[in-house]
Protein backbone atom coordinates (compact mmCIF):
# COMPACT_ATOMS: atom_id res chain seq x y z
CA UNK A 1 0.00 0.00 0.00
CA UNK A 2 1.38 3.43 -0.85
CA UNK A 3 2.13 5.50 2.25
CA UNK A 4 1.59 9.23 1.73
CA UNK A 5 1.00 11.79 4.44
CA UNK A 6 -0.15 10.50 7.81
CA UNK A 7 -3.97 10.35 8.09
CA UNK A 8 -5.51 13.76 8.57
CA UNK A 9 -8.93 13.77 9.99
CA UNK A 10 -11.82 11.49 9.51
CA UNK A 11 -12.10 12.08 5.79
CA UNK A 12 -8.83 10.23 5.23
CA UNK A 13 -9.73 7.49 7.70
CA UNK A 14 -13.10 6.93 6.01
CA UNK A 15 -11.56 6.93 2.52
CA UNK A 16 -9.07 4.27 3.56
CA UNK A 17 -11.69 2.20 5.33
CA UNK A 18 -14.07 2.32 2.37
CA UNK A 19 -11.19 1.60 -0.03
CA UNK A 20 -10.09 -1.40 2.01
CA UNK A 21 -13.36 -2.96 3.13
CA UNK A 22 -16.14 -1.40 1.04
CA UNK A 23 -18.92 1.06 1.82
CA UNK A 24 -19.80 1.94 5.42
CA UNK A 25 -23.36 2.36 6.68
CA UNK A 26 -24.84 5.83 7.15
CA UNK A 27 -25.11 4.94 10.86
CA UNK A 28 -21.40 4.13 11.07
CA UNK A 29 -20.54 7.34 9.22
CA UNK A 30 -22.73 9.45 11.54
CA UNK A 31 -21.49 7.76 14.74
CA UNK A 32 -17.81 8.25 13.93
CA UNK A 33 -18.32 11.76 12.58
CA UNK A 34 -20.12 12.90 15.73
CA UNK A 35 -17.71 11.16 18.12
CA UNK A 36 -14.89 13.07 16.45
CA UNK A 37 -16.89 16.26 16.23
CA UNK A 38 -17.84 16.44 19.92
CA UNK A 39 -14.38 15.46 21.08
CA UNK A 40 -12.66 18.15 19.06
CA UNK A 41 -13.79 21.16 21.05
CA UNK A 42 -16.83 22.85 22.50
CA UNK A 43 -19.08 23.38 19.46
CA UNK A 44 -21.82 25.34 21.23
CA UNK A 45 -22.65 29.01 21.33
CA UNK A 46 -22.59 32.07 19.14
CA UNK A 47 -18.95 31.58 18.13
CA UNK A 48 -19.40 27.84 17.66
CA UNK A 49 -21.53 25.86 15.25
CA UNK A 50 -24.96 25.83 16.83
CA UNK A 51 -26.87 27.15 19.82
CA UNK A 52 -29.22 25.18 22.02
CA UNK A 53 -32.10 26.21 24.28
CA UNK A 54 -30.08 26.28 27.54
CA UNK A 55 -27.50 28.50 25.82
CA UNK A 56 -30.22 30.89 24.64
CA UNK A 57 -31.42 31.65 28.16
CA UNK A 58 -31.11 30.57 31.78
CA UNK A 59 -34.92 30.40 31.82
CA UNK A 60 -34.87 27.09 29.95
CA UNK A 61 -32.84 25.19 32.56
CA UNK A 62 -34.79 26.93 35.33
CA UNK A 63 -38.12 25.67 33.99
CA UNK A 64 -36.72 22.14 33.86
CA UNK A 65 -35.49 22.53 37.42
CA UNK A 66 -38.96 23.67 38.51
CA UNK A 67 -40.56 20.69 36.78
CA UNK A 68 -38.19 18.29 38.51
CA UNK A 69 -38.60 19.95 41.92
CA UNK A 70 -42.37 19.70 41.52
CA UNK A 71 -42.07 15.99 40.72
CA UNK A 72 -39.88 15.45 43.76
CA UNK A 73 -42.24 17.34 46.07
CA UNK A 74 -45.30 15.48 44.82
CA UNK A 75 -43.51 12.18 45.23
CA UNK A 76 -43.08 12.98 48.94
CA UNK A 77 -39.54 14.42 48.79
CA UNK A 78 -37.56 11.18 48.76
CA UNK A 79 -34.28 11.79 50.54
CA UNK A 80 -31.99 10.00 48.11
CA UNK A 81 -32.61 11.19 44.56
CA UNK A 82 -30.38 11.41 41.49
CA UNK A 83 -30.40 14.07 38.79
CA UNK A 84 -29.09 12.46 35.61
CA UNK A 85 -28.41 14.36 32.41
CA UNK A 86 -27.53 12.78 29.08
CA UNK A 87 -25.23 14.83 26.81
CA UNK A 88 -25.07 17.94 29.02
CA UNK A 89 -23.07 20.09 26.56
CA UNK A 90 -21.50 22.91 28.57
CA UNK A 91 -23.43 21.98 31.70
CA UNK A 92 -25.54 25.12 31.44
CA UNK A 93 -28.91 23.38 31.71
CA UNK A 94 -27.73 21.36 34.73
CA UNK A 95 -26.38 24.47 36.49
CA UNK A 96 -29.59 26.46 35.90
CA UNK A 97 -31.85 23.54 36.84
CA UNK A 98 -29.91 22.73 40.01
CA UNK A 99 -30.07 26.38 41.11
CA UNK A 100 -33.85 26.37 40.60
CA UNK A 101 -34.20 23.06 42.48
CA UNK A 102 -32.12 24.46 45.31
CA UNK A 103 -34.79 27.10 45.91
CA UNK A 104 -37.04 24.22 46.97
CA UNK A 105 -34.30 22.77 49.17
CA UNK A 106 -33.98 19.98 46.66
CA UNK A 107 -30.34 18.95 46.24
CA UNK A 108 -30.17 15.70 44.27
CA UNK A 109 -26.94 13.88 43.53
CA UNK A 110 -25.72 14.87 40.08
CA UNK A 111 -24.71 12.41 37.36
CA UNK A 112 -23.63 13.54 33.91
CA UNK A 113 -23.46 11.09 31.01
CA UNK A 114 -21.01 12.53 28.50
CA UNK A 115 -18.91 10.96 25.77
CA UNK A 116 -16.72 13.96 24.91
CA UNK A 117 -13.66 14.73 27.03
CA UNK A 118 -13.65 18.34 25.76
CA UNK A 119 -17.20 18.85 27.00
CA UNK A 120 -16.53 17.05 30.29
CA UNK A 121 -13.93 19.74 30.97
CA UNK A 122 -16.50 22.47 30.38
CA UNK A 123 -19.02 20.64 32.58
CA UNK A 124 -16.52 20.41 35.45
CA UNK A 125 -16.50 24.21 35.59
CA UNK A 126 -20.25 24.71 35.48
CA UNK A 127 -21.32 21.70 37.58
CA UNK A 128 -18.68 21.10 40.25
CA UNK A 129 -19.48 18.09 42.38
CA UNK A 130 -21.04 16.04 39.60
CA UNK A 131 -20.09 12.45 38.82
CA UNK A 132 -19.40 11.54 35.19
CA UNK A 133 -20.49 8.38 33.44
CA UNK A 134 -20.19 6.76 30.02
CA UNK A 135 -23.73 5.44 30.23
CA UNK A 136 -26.63 4.75 32.58
CA UNK A 137 -25.13 1.45 33.63
CA UNK A 138 -22.83 2.93 36.28
CA UNK A 139 -25.48 5.32 37.68
CA UNK A 140 -26.62 4.07 41.14
CA UNK A 141 -29.46 1.56 41.20
CA UNK A 142 -30.91 2.83 44.45
CA UNK A 143 -33.01 5.98 44.74
CA UNK A 144 -35.30 7.54 42.12
CA UNK A 145 -33.78 8.98 38.95
CA UNK A 146 -34.75 12.35 37.50
CA UNK A 147 -33.42 12.19 33.97
CA UNK A 148 -33.06 14.95 31.38
CA UNK A 149 -31.93 14.64 27.76
CA UNK A 150 -32.01 17.88 25.78
CA UNK A 151 -30.84 17.69 22.16
CA UNK A 152 -29.13 14.41 22.94
CA UNK A 153 -31.06 11.73 21.06
CA UNK A 154 -30.81 13.74 17.83
CA UNK A 155 -27.02 13.33 17.89
CA UNK A 156 -27.17 9.53 17.99
CA UNK A 157 -26.57 7.67 14.73
CA UNK A 158 -29.55 6.84 12.52
CA UNK A 159 -29.76 3.79 10.36
CA UNK A 160 -31.33 4.36 6.96
CA UNK A 161 -32.80 1.89 4.53
CA UNK A 162 -33.79 2.84 1.01
CA UNK A 163 -36.19 1.34 -1.52
CA UNK A 164 -34.06 0.39 -4.55
CA UNK A 165 -35.00 -1.38 -7.81
CA UNK A 166 -34.19 -4.78 -6.33
CA UNK A 167 -35.90 -4.17 -2.98
CA UNK A 168 -35.00 -2.49 0.32
CA UNK A 169 -31.30 -1.93 0.98
CA UNK A 170 -29.28 -0.36 3.79
CA UNK A 171 -28.16 3.14 2.82
CA UNK A 172 -24.37 3.21 2.79
CA UNK A 173 -21.62 5.72 2.11
CA UNK A 174 -19.16 5.35 -0.79
CA UNK A 175 -16.40 7.59 -2.09
CA UNK A 176 -16.40 8.30 -5.80
CA UNK A 177 -12.85 9.64 -5.93
CA UNK A 178 -14.05 13.17 -5.30
CA UNK A 179 -16.51 13.01 -2.47
CA UNK A 180 -18.58 10.83 -0.16
CA UNK A 181 -22.01 9.82 -1.45
CA UNK A 182 -24.93 7.96 0.12
CA UNK A 183 -26.15 5.08 -2.06
CA UNK A 184 -28.19 1.90 -1.75
CA UNK A 185 -25.97 -0.91 -0.43
CA UNK A 186 -25.86 -4.52 -1.51
CA UNK A 187 -27.42 -6.26 1.49
CA UNK A 188 -31.17 -6.96 1.26
CA UNK A 189 -33.09 -5.34 4.12
CA UNK A 190 -36.65 -6.24 3.16
CA UNK A 191 -37.25 -8.09 6.40
CA UNK A 192 -36.51 -4.91 8.40
CA UNK A 193 -39.32 -2.93 6.75
CA UNK A 194 -42.61 -2.53 8.65
CA UNK A 195 -45.55 -3.87 6.61
CA UNK A 196 -47.17 -0.47 6.12
CA UNK A 197 -44.09 0.86 4.29
CA UNK A 198 -43.22 -2.24 2.26
CA UNK A 199 -44.73 -0.94 -1.01
CA UNK A 200 -43.29 2.57 -0.83
CA UNK A 201 -42.13 4.18 -4.09
CA UNK A 202 -38.56 3.82 -5.33
CA UNK A 203 -36.13 6.03 -3.46
CA UNK A 204 -38.17 6.09 -0.23
CA UNK A 205 -35.92 6.24 2.84
CA UNK A 206 -36.85 4.85 6.25
CA UNK A 207 -34.88 5.94 9.29
CA UNK A 208 -34.51 4.27 12.65
CA UNK A 209 -32.35 5.01 15.63
CA UNK A 210 -31.29 1.81 17.39
CA UNK A 211 -29.01 3.66 19.83
CA UNK A 212 -31.81 6.03 20.91
CA UNK A 213 -34.22 3.11 21.22
CA UNK A 214 -31.73 1.16 23.32
CA UNK A 215 -31.26 4.08 25.71
CA UNK A 216 -35.00 4.68 25.99
CA UNK A 217 -35.53 1.00 26.90
CA UNK A 218 -32.80 1.23 29.50
CA UNK A 219 -34.30 4.41 30.98
CA UNK A 220 -37.78 2.89 31.12
CA UNK A 221 -36.46 -0.20 32.92
CA UNK A 222 -34.61 1.92 35.47
CA UNK A 223 -37.65 4.13 36.17
CA UNK A 224 -39.79 1.07 36.62
CA UNK A 225 -37.30 -0.39 39.10
CA UNK A 226 -36.21 2.78 40.94
CA UNK A 227 -38.96 5.35 40.38
CA UNK A 228 -38.46 8.84 39.07
CA UNK A 229 -39.12 10.53 35.74
CA UNK A 230 -37.39 11.35 32.47
CA UNK A 231 -37.73 14.36 30.18
CA UNK A 232 -36.77 14.05 26.53
CA UNK A 233 -36.59 17.37 24.70
CA UNK A 234 -35.60 17.39 21.07
CA UNK A 235 -36.66 18.29 17.61
CA UNK A 236 -38.58 15.55 16.00
CA UNK A 237 -41.86 14.16 14.75
CA UNK A 238 -44.82 12.68 16.58
CA UNK A 239 -46.18 10.43 13.79
CA UNK A 240 -44.17 7.87 11.83
CA UNK A 241 -42.79 9.35 8.59
CA UNK A 242 -40.46 8.52 5.74
CA UNK A 243 -37.46 10.39 4.32
CA UNK A 244 -33.93 11.18 5.43
CA UNK A 245 -33.76 13.77 8.20
CA UNK A 246 -29.98 13.66 8.47
CA UNK A 247 -28.57 17.17 8.49
CA UNK A 248 -25.31 18.90 9.19
CA UNK A 249 -24.73 22.31 10.75
CA UNK A 250 -21.46 24.20 10.81
CA UNK A 251 -20.99 27.81 11.90
CA UNK A 252 -24.79 28.16 12.14
CA UNK A 253 -25.27 27.16 8.48
CA UNK A 254 -26.73 23.99 7.06
CA UNK A 255 -24.04 22.13 5.14
CA UNK A 256 -23.84 18.83 3.26
CA UNK A 257 -23.58 15.97 5.81
CA UNK A 258 -21.33 14.04 3.42
CA UNK A 259 -18.67 16.76 3.18
CA UNK A 260 -15.92 17.14 5.83
CA UNK A 261 -17.04 14.44 8.29
CA UNK A 262 -16.17 15.29 11.89
CA UNK A 263 -16.21 19.04 11.26
CA UNK A 264 -19.97 19.62 11.37
CA UNK A 265 -22.67 18.61 13.84
CA UNK A 266 -24.76 15.77 12.40
CA UNK A 267 -28.29 15.32 13.67
CA UNK A 268 -31.47 13.52 12.72
CA UNK A 269 -35.02 14.20 13.87
CA UNK A 270 -36.18 12.20 16.88
CA UNK A 271 -39.03 9.73 16.38
CA UNK A 272 -41.32 10.49 19.34
CA UNK A 273 -43.80 7.83 18.26
CA UNK A 274 -41.09 5.27 18.88
CA UNK A 275 -40.32 6.70 22.33
CA UNK A 276 -44.01 6.27 23.18
CA UNK A 277 -44.02 2.67 22.01
CA UNK A 278 -40.95 1.93 24.09
CA UNK A 279 -42.65 3.32 27.20
CA UNK A 280 -45.59 1.03 26.54
CA UNK A 281 -43.33 -1.97 26.04
CA UNK A 282 -41.31 -1.05 29.13
CA UNK A 283 -44.44 -0.59 31.22
CA UNK A 284 -43.89 3.02 32.26
CA UNK A 285 -46.35 5.87 31.74
CA UNK A 286 -45.57 8.33 28.99
CA UNK A 287 -46.87 11.89 28.52
CA UNK A 288 -46.58 14.04 25.42
CA UNK A 289 -45.04 14.85 23.13
CA UNK A 290 -46.16 18.45 23.53
CA UNK A 291 -44.58 21.44 21.81
CA UNK A 292 -41.69 23.00 23.71
CA UNK A 293 -43.44 26.37 23.52
CA UNK A 294 -46.68 25.17 25.10
CA UNK A 295 -44.82 23.22 27.74
CA UNK A 296 -42.62 26.15 28.79
CA UNK A 297 -45.61 28.51 28.84
CA UNK A 298 -47.56 26.09 31.04
CA UNK A 299 -44.65 26.08 33.47
CA UNK A 300 -44.67 29.88 33.68
CA UNK A 301 -41.73 30.92 31.54
CA UNK A 302 -43.47 34.18 30.53
CA UNK A 303 -43.81 35.18 34.20
CA UNK A 304 -40.19 34.27 34.82
CA UNK A 305 -39.14 36.42 31.84
CA UNK A 306 -41.12 39.36 33.22
CA UNK A 307 -39.41 39.04 36.62
CA UNK A 308 -35.96 38.83 35.03
CA UNK A 309 -36.70 41.80 32.78
CA UNK A 310 -37.89 43.93 35.71
CA UNK A 311 -34.69 43.08 37.59
CA UNK A 312 -32.45 44.03 34.64
CA UNK A 313 -34.23 46.72 32.61
CA UNK A 314 -31.17 47.15 30.37
CA UNK A 315 -31.52 43.54 29.30
CA UNK A 316 -35.31 43.45 29.01
CA UNK A 317 -35.28 43.38 25.23
CA UNK A 318 -32.71 40.57 25.14
CA UNK A 319 -34.76 38.52 27.62
CA UNK A 320 -37.96 38.94 25.59
CA UNK A 321 -36.14 37.97 22.39
CA UNK A 322 -34.84 34.82 24.10
CA UNK A 323 -38.35 34.00 25.33
CA UNK A 324 -39.64 34.35 21.79
CA UNK A 325 -36.95 32.05 20.40
CA UNK A 326 -37.77 29.36 22.93
CA UNK A 327 -41.57 29.42 22.67
CA UNK A 328 -42.75 30.83 19.32
CA UNK A 329 -44.12 28.19 16.97
CA UNK A 330 -42.12 29.69 14.11
CA UNK A 331 -38.92 29.42 16.15
CA UNK A 332 -38.21 26.50 18.54
CA UNK A 333 -41.68 26.27 20.08
CA UNK A 334 -43.35 23.72 17.80
CA UNK A 335 -40.61 21.69 16.10
CA UNK A 336 -39.01 21.02 19.49
CA UNK A 337 -41.08 18.67 21.58
CA UNK A 338 -41.14 17.45 25.16
CA UNK A 339 -41.99 13.91 26.20
CA UNK A 340 -41.92 12.48 29.73
CA UNK A 341 -41.67 8.99 31.20
CA UNK A 342 -42.67 8.42 34.79
CA UNK A 343 -42.01 5.54 37.12
CA UNK A 344 -44.78 3.80 39.08
CA UNK A 345 -46.45 6.11 41.59
CA UNK A 346 -44.76 9.24 40.23
CA UNK A 347 -47.01 12.21 39.33
CA UNK A 348 -48.06 13.28 35.85
CA UNK A 349 -45.68 16.17 35.37
CA UNK A 350 -46.74 19.78 34.97
CA UNK A 351 -47.34 20.94 31.40
CA UNK A 352 -48.71 17.68 30.06
CA UNK A 353 -52.34 18.56 30.41
CA UNK A 354 -53.12 16.12 33.23
CA UNK A 355 -53.94 16.94 36.82
CA UNK A 356 -50.55 17.97 38.12
N1 LIG B 1 -27.73 19.11 26.01
C1 LIG B 1 -26.77 20.12 25.62
C2 LIG B 1 -25.83 19.68 24.48
C3 LIG B 1 -26.46 19.13 23.23
S1 LIG B 1 -25.22 18.62 22.06
C4 LIG B 1 -27.50 21.40 25.26
O1 LIG B 1 -28.71 21.35 25.11
O2 LIG B 1 -26.85 22.43 25.13
C5 LIG B 1 -25.17 16.86 22.30
C6 LIG B 1 -24.49 16.41 23.57
O3 LIG B 1 -24.52 14.97 23.61
C7 LIG B 1 -23.03 16.78 23.70
O4 LIG B 1 -22.76 16.99 25.08
C8 LIG B 1 -22.33 15.53 23.18
O5 LIG B 1 -20.98 15.43 23.55
C9 LIG B 1 -23.19 14.45 23.77
N2 LIG B 1 -23.17 13.17 23.07
C10 LIG B 1 -23.41 12.94 21.75
N3 LIG B 1 -23.36 11.63 21.48
C11 LIG B 1 -23.09 11.00 22.64
C12 LIG B 1 -22.94 9.62 23.04
N4 LIG B 1 -23.04 8.65 22.14
N5 LIG B 1 -22.68 9.35 24.33
C13 LIG B 1 -22.58 10.35 25.25
N6 LIG B 1 -22.72 11.65 24.95
C14 LIG B 1 -22.97 11.98 23.67
Amino acid sequence: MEEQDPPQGLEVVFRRLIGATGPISVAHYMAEANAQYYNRADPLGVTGDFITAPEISQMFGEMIGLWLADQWQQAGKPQLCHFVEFGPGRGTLAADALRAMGQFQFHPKVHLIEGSSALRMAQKLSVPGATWHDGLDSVPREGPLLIVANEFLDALPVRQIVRAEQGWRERVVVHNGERFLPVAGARPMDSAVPKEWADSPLGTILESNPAAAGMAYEIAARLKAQGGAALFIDYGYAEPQTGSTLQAVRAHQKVDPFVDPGLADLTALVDFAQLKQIALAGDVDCHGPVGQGDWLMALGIAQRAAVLARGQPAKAQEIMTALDRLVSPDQMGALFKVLAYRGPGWPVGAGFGGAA
Side-chain angles (χ1 to χ4, degrees):
M1 221 168 95
E2 49 172 313
E3 230 356 283
Q4 301 168 338
D5 294 334
Q8 282 177 353
L10 203 50
E11 166 149 13
V12 179
V13 175
F14 276 159
R15 283 184 67 161
R16 285 197 175 162
L17 181 66
I18 292 170
T21 63
I24 56 173
S25 66
V26 165
H28 182 170
Y29 178 92
M30 182 174 176
E32 289 290 340
N34 268 356
Q36 166 119 351
Y37 176 75
Y38 284 111
N39 244 326
R40 194 172 46 104
D42 173 1
L44 290 149
V46 184
T47 55
D49 289 317
F50 62 98
I51 193 156
T52 55
E55 302 298 333
I56 290 174
S57 165
Q58 69 186 74
M59 297 185 286
F60 185 76
E62 288 172 350
M63 291 301 123
I64 290 173
L66 281 183
W67 191 89
L68 297 173
D70 181 51
Q71 288 279 300
W72 171 74
Q73 284 186 327
Q74 289 197 58
K77 302 189 179 179
Q79 209 158 42
L80 176 66
C81 212
H82 306 278
F83 169 82
V84 183
E85 189 179 352
F86 280 86
R90 288 180 172 169
T92 308
L93 186 162
D96 292 334
L98 288 165
R99 193 180 58 247
M101 290 185 249
Q103 293 185 345
F104 296 83
Q105 274 65 55
F106 178 31
H107 303 284
K109 301 224 179 312
V110 181
H111 303 273
L112 303 180
I113 297 175
E114 175 58 66
S116 152
S117 41
L119 286 172
R120 278 191 185 198
M121 300 266 278
Q123 292 156 17
K124 284 200 171 104
L125 299 177
S126 43
V127 202
T131 310
W132 279 266
H133 302 264
D134 293 329
L136 200 53
D137 205 45
S138 53
V139 171
R141 287 172 190 271
E142 203 176 308
L145 304 179
L146 290 170
I147 299 175
V148 177
N150 183 63
E151 288 208 49
F152 170 72
L153 297 176
D154 69 345
L156 300 180
V158 282
R159 177 180 210 182
Q160 295 184 337
I161 54 179
V162 56
R163 176 77 199 266
E165 295 275 3
Q166 318 83 333
W168 291 91
R169 296 286 187 266
E170 175 141 27
R171 203 161 180 239
V172 298
V173 181
V174 295
H175 196 277
N176 68 2
E178 271 178 33
R179 52 157 299 161
F180 296 107
L181 277 181
V183 299
R187 194 143 56 94
M189 293 295 293
D190 301 272
S191 58
V193 179
K195 266 203 285 316
E196 61 271 33
W197 304 115
D199 288 328
S200 305
L202 270 185
T204 302
I205 292 170
L206 296 180
E207 249 176 25
S208 61
N209 195 329
M215 283 190 204
Y217 272 113
E218 208 184 340
I219 289 170
R222 286 297 206 95
L223 294 179
K224 183 146 192 252
Q226 291 175 244
L231 273 180
F232 301 98
I233 307 160
D234 233 307
Y235 63 148
Y237 48 92
E239 301 298 331
Q241 64 171 42
T242 63
S244 171
T245 72
L246 180 64
Q247 68 162 36
V249 170
R250 188 173 178 184
H252 303 273
Q253 302 287 326
K254 276 196 187 184
V255 294
D256 185 332
F258 297 102
V259 171
D260 290 339
L263 296 182
D265 179 44
L266 298 187
T267 59
L269 293 186
V270 169
D271 180 353
F272 282 97
Q274 187 191 37
L275 292 179
K276 283 173 84 163
Q277 278 173 6
I278 290 171
L280 197 67
D283 199 22
V284 292
D285 279 327
C286 175
H287 302 278
V290 298
Q292 171 176 300
D294 288 345
W295 188 75
L296 290 171
M297 291 300 274
L299 288 173
I301 194 170
Q303 290 81 339
R304 178 67 182 139
V307 169
L308 284 173
R310 268 202 303 279
Q312 301 161 277
K315 287 201 165 168
Q317 188 57 43
E318 198 181 303
I319 292 165
M320 291 306 156
T321 304
L323 173 67
D324 188 57
R325 279 184 79 177
L326 294 173
V327 305
S328 283
D330 57 350
Q331 305 237 8
M332 294 178 81
L335 182 57
F336 279 76
K337 297 179 176 59
V338 189
L339 179 133
Y341 285 0
R342 65 177 169 132
W346 278 68
V348 178
F352 290 101

